[in-house]
Amino acid sequence: MSMSRREFAQLLGLAGAAGVLPSTGFAATKHSADPYEVANFGNVRLLHMTDCHAQLLPIYFREPNVNLGMGAAQGQAPHLVGDKLLNHFGITPNSLEAHAFSCLQYEEAAAKYGKVGGFAHIKTLVERLRESYGREKTLLLDGGDTWQGSGTSYKTRGMDMVKAANELGVDVMTGHWEFTYHQEEILKNIKAFDGEFLAQNVFITEDALFEGADEYIHDEDTGHVFQPYSIREIGGARIAIIGQAFPRTKIANPARFIPDWTFDIYDDRLQEQVDHIRGSENVDAVIVLSHNGMDVDLAMANRVSGVDVILGGHTHDGIPAPTIVKNNGGKTLVCNVGSNGKFVGVMDLDIREGKVQDFRYRLMPVFSELLAPDAAMAQLITDIREPYLPWLTEALAPADELMFRRGNFNGTFDQVICDALRSVNDAQISLSPGFRWGTTVLKGQMVTMEHVLDQTCLTYPETYVREMKGSELKLILEDVADNLFNPEPYLQSGGDMVRVGGFDYVCDPVETIGKRITEMTLDNGEKIEADKSYKVSGWATVGARSEGADIWDVVAEYLKDRKVASIDKLNTPKLKNVEGNPGIVDYPA
Amino acid sequence: MSINRRTVVKAIATGGALIGASVLMPKIAFAAWSKDAFQAKEQTAAMNALFDSATPEESAEVTLKAPDIAENGAVVPVTVVSTLSGVESMSIFIEGNPSPLAAEFIIPAGTKADVSTRVRMGKSTKVTAVVKANGKLYSAAKEVKVTIGGCGG
């Protein structure tokens, strides 16, 4: 049973008084009984959230135990997990923040500290952080992946989240999963959004321009579909915010929904944009609101100069302190603020004499039991959910163990999805995408349809069954592994390794493409042969639409039939050459 | 009066500018068509067929723009620009394609050496731009990744 708000506050107060907490980061604020008491610093406060994946209500979310960094990224943020992460950032083990930032003693701590996130709780925190600082000196920036990830966002085509973001007071956003609706729906949602939707790296295709896309795009001459940047005057400073949408959207997600737009990282254009803004807009600071993923942001901070802060998302890394990257123009702070509404980043900037003089940063975990829900937001959420409640709340099966996804390889919930595909679709092998969204269910909790939707809800949910050669299967695994483990960040696409059911393999992440995956072996011990065909089931195809049932119905059918949410075997690869890599802890194989 | 980008694109497509383009495509362009080079199955052979040499000199005066990861392998945008003087031709080779020579642009004297096109790529491979200027060969190359996609975070 989780503790009351009062007990919670007392615990924190005692911990602070005992002097066991470090003096930096989130913990530094806890010398009072109130962990959300933040000292004001400077004259501009940027509040940052990202990748909430439409989680309107509080949820559980376990941080990964495997998040391997390759090459120069090894041992660096964000590729630190468990005690390695705690040591690196000076976080006391077994503390509230140790629970927020790591997977250690997860079940025990989750039972103690309760759920995280929830828009009504985030709203309360954001309001407090704005009021205590001076509302007119604050901005709330949302890095995107806001309109997707729940049953209600699916049913309302993201409009529920536009309403919630408006109620929350989001000033600026960029996107990624936003682009998994149809072009015209995206434009409609943006129109309904009270803030600004920015993207310097989304362009109209020549073909679309010819067909008359000039009717709606931001700038016909530059080809920007969306406004690339915004200038805001706050706290006596002029700051530019540039949007950077997920550059691999048309590769990682279906291109068919957004045929007229094209994406990339575009360092050179970003540099031009920064130089232009610095040269002609008379700004004191330049901020990039990015959905690149943290590895790409770190690389981009190296290559592009003149950016003071990159507020990043996509890779769902909850990183307690910014990484400072030195470049031609000085330095750039790179932040990443986790996912699922679990964190709010607070970047206080001292901006004087035309530049950023200093900063203070805190990544605040949103513990729902510590923050009273905002009444208006709570009402909005109730209204949004009301028409879909019978669907969302259907009880499927009690969880007999911890159900989670996040990590480089299969989580237990992925295994349930893979097992469901094999069982319901009568396949030897199953594949499930390595998304980083998807919430956690504690042992003993009832798994509802909503939990399954948390793991599966996207706009291309159809399943497939088809024959696949062993060689084809290997090609898929190699391709995805390269998107994850290529040491060059610009050649990564984000996401984790494809989840598998019915077979195991050996993975050597430090190898090159074509050589990482070996010894693919069926659960019955038979080696998978290159020329032999296997019956494979999967979902979320990015090319053409598949014909099968929606994945959530497949998983629901399986769970109702099995009567308990549990796994018999975790298909996770045996790893090579990861000894000493601080991106892995408690690995089962 | 300013003319917007769409009008220009439309004008080109509807033929206005094509009249100009045809004037700029003298017989020499067709005379230079190298069937052997375009049909060669291997990059060195293609270069030899086109230039009698497969060893262009890498040059900072040749800029090759192509994506790190192709958004769509069927239409990968490639741009070649050169600041060299006396540019005669600009060619694009896709090493891993069944026929590596994808395009050869003849650059008439006095024309800006700046070409863009889209090429098809079946798999991740190296793209090489070769610029012939004053009878000598210069190049720039870049790896372009083609991925099956999916699994975004």
Side-chain angles (χ1 to χ4, degrees), chain A residues 56 150-161 163 380-394 448-450 453 457:
Chain A
L56 288 171
S150 71
T152 53
S153 64
Y154 175 77
K155 292 286 188 186
T156 64
R157 307 297 287 177
M159 191 56 92
D160 65 329
M161 295 309 297
K163 289 179 187 165
L380 175 66
I381 294 169
T382 302
D383 294 345
I384 286 168
R385 293 169 56 79
E386 201 274 330
Y388 313 106
L389 271 185
W391 181 48
L392 299 173
T393 55
E394 187 192 356
T448 63
M449 190 58 158
E450 184 152 42
L453 292 165
C457 206

Side-chain angles (χ1 to χ4, degrees), chain A residues 30-82:
Chain A
K30 285 207 260 64
H31 294 289
S32 74
D34 185 346
Y36 295 111
E37 188 73 50
V38 188
N40 292 341
F41 178 83
N43 51 334
V44 170
R45 170 168 285 178
L46 303 177
L47 302 171
H48 177 213
M49 58 182 283
T50 196
D51 297 76
C52 75
H53 286 281
Q55 294 302 326
L56 288 171
L57 294 180
I59 45 91
Y60 291 108
F61 188 83
R62 174 190 179 273
E63 297 300 327
N65 65 313
V66 186
N67 188 18
L68 295 163
M70 294 295 122
Q74 178 167 337
Q76 305 295 317
H79 298 285
L80 299 162
V81 298

Side-chain angles (χ1 to χ4, degrees), chain A residues 278-341:
Chain A
R278 290 239 179 236
S280 66
E281 296 274 15
N282 190 31
V283 295
D284 304 303
V286 176
I287 313 296
V288 174
L289 178 64
S290 163
H291 205 97
N292 277 336
M294 187 151 174
D295 292 296
V296 175
D297 280 336
L298 290 169
M300 192 174 82
N302 239 309
R303 301 180 194 204
V304 175
S305 59
V307 175
D308 295 294
V309 184
I310 299 177
L311 298 174
H314 183 57
T315 37
H316 295 194
D317 305 302
I319 302 300
T323 299
I324 300 171
V325 179
K326 295 216 164 67
N327 54 39
N328 286 341
K331 64 180 183 186
T332 302
L333 305 173
V334 178
C335 308
N336 208 288
V337 297
S339 68
N340 286 276

Side-chain angles (χ1 to χ4, degrees), chain A residues 206 262-263 435 479 482 491, chain B residues 5-6 71 145 147 150 152:
Chain A
E206 296 271 328
T262 180
F263 300 61
F435 297 128
D479 202 86
D482 195 59
L491 297 180
Chain B
R5 183 164 157 220
R6 180 174 167 229
E71 207 163 57
K145 183 172 169 177
T147 159

